[in-house]
Amino acid sequence: MAGQWQELGTPGGLEAHVHRPAGEVRGAVVVCSELYGVNAYLRDVCAELAARGYAAVAPDFYWRNARRTELGYEAEEREAGLVLMKALDRDELVADAAEALAAARELADGHGVAFLGTSMGGHIAVRAATELRFELAAVFYPGWLLNSGFPLVGPVPPLETAERIAANGVHLLGFCGELDHILPQEEWQEAEHRLTAAGVGHELITYPGARHGFAADRPADHDAEATADAWRRVYEALARHL
């Protein structure tokens, strides 16, 4: 079944690209984008989730400033994405995540809901886990977990309140490349310590030689072996937690 855009709540408000399974529903996944918006890559992720039985809801988090943003990977488009990302507000993101979660619950057919995110979207998924109750957060190279600097992060980065993730019962599965220039290994290791100290059920995986964006469709960054292993682990986690 093809995906389509739909409004999630108030007319003129948040929209999401929604992809429903053609057959049995095994749960639902809120899919959070990189700074490039709901582009072809993200829609392909939604289609693959739906093919495996998971309803996919990909919110357009940029909707207040630019609707249905779909950017490529050229330098000018990346700069446009950075401008939009820097305009995001943490509290508005949480409100949008809650709205997407409610829509996903309706589509989950009694099963659980996961948040899945890459880069900026990974940050959003972890932030959502500090504020909302759902079953699993699967995050690829999430940024700014322990440092601020953007309005979407706010004065308190997500893992400063990691105990909220534990209280919300969210299991965290995370992936990072050894050579990630945005999420260095020192920060990834500190994230491990914070999650353990807070009692968060989690598994953080590092892929030797992989870069930031290793699972995306950008040839310069893509690592096929790491990507295949990460998605294998994601689908195992979805089956277990949803």
Side-chain angles (χ1 to χ4, degrees), residues 46-233:
C46 292
E48 180 62 24
L49 286 163
R52 292 174 178 258
Y54 299 98
V57 178
D60 175 19
F61 288 112
Y62 291 149
W63 69 272
R64 292 176 178 85
N65 297 303
R67 285 195 173 272
R68 301 188 184 184
T69 298
E70 178 180 352
L71 298 173
Y73 304 129
E74 297 298 328
E76 288 185 2
E77 292 179 282
R78 184 176 186 278
E79 286 302 315
L82 284 170
V83 170
L84 289 168
M85 182 185 73
K86 291 176 181 179
L88 292 173
D89 174 82
R90 182 182 71 166
D91 294 335
E92 289 175 345
L93 277 177
V94 171
D96 289 346
E99 201 162 9
L101 174 59
R105 289 275 184 217
E106 291 183 1
L107 295 170
D109 196 25
H111 295 277
V113 172
F115 272 64
L116 184 148
T118 56
S119 195
M120 180 188 85
H123 173 92
I124 294 171
V126 177
R127 170 66 69 192
T130 68
E131 302 289 345
L132 307 171
R133 287 184 173 271
F134 50 92
E135 284 63 49
L136 171 70
V139 296
F140 290 74
Y141 29 87
W144 317 293
L145 300 181
L146 290 164
N147 56 76
S148 189
F150 297 113
L152 85 151
V153 181
V156 182
L159 292 193
E160 290 291 336
T161 56
E163 67 280 359
R164 295 183 183 179
I165 302 175
N168 286 333
V170 181
H171 185 88
L172 180 62
L173 173 63
F175 308 104
C176 180
E178 177 190 19
L179 305 181
D180 195 312
H181 65 290
I182 291 177
L183 181 55
Q185 283 301 295
E186 295 80 8
E187 186 175 336
W188 197 230
Q189 291 163 9
E190 180 61 23
E192 170 77 44
H193 295 322
R194 297 289 183 95
L195 293 168
T196 299
V200 177
H202 69 281
E203 184 178 12
L204 300 187
I205 311 299
T206 299
Y207 291 106
R211 304 169 184 267
H212 187 82
F214 70 79
D217 58 348
R218 301 185 292 275
D221 301 320
H222 187 71
D223 186 312
E225 185 175 350
T227 299
D229 183 76
W231 278 107
R232 176 186 62 79
R233 293 174 184 270

Side-chain angles (χ1 to χ4, degrees), residues 4-20 29-31 56-61 63 67-68 95-107 115:
Q4 60 185 3
W5 284 97
Q6 70 177 60
E7 293 180 330
L8 298 188
T10 305
L14 177 65
E15 291 182 297
H17 179 81
V18 178
H19 210 127
R20 296 173 174 81
V29 182
V30 177
V31 184
V57 178
D60 175 19
F61 288 112
W63 69 272
R67 285 195 173 272
R68 301 188 184 184
D96 289 346
E99 201 162 9
L101 174 59
R105 289 275 184 217
E106 291 183 1
L107 295 170
F115 272 64

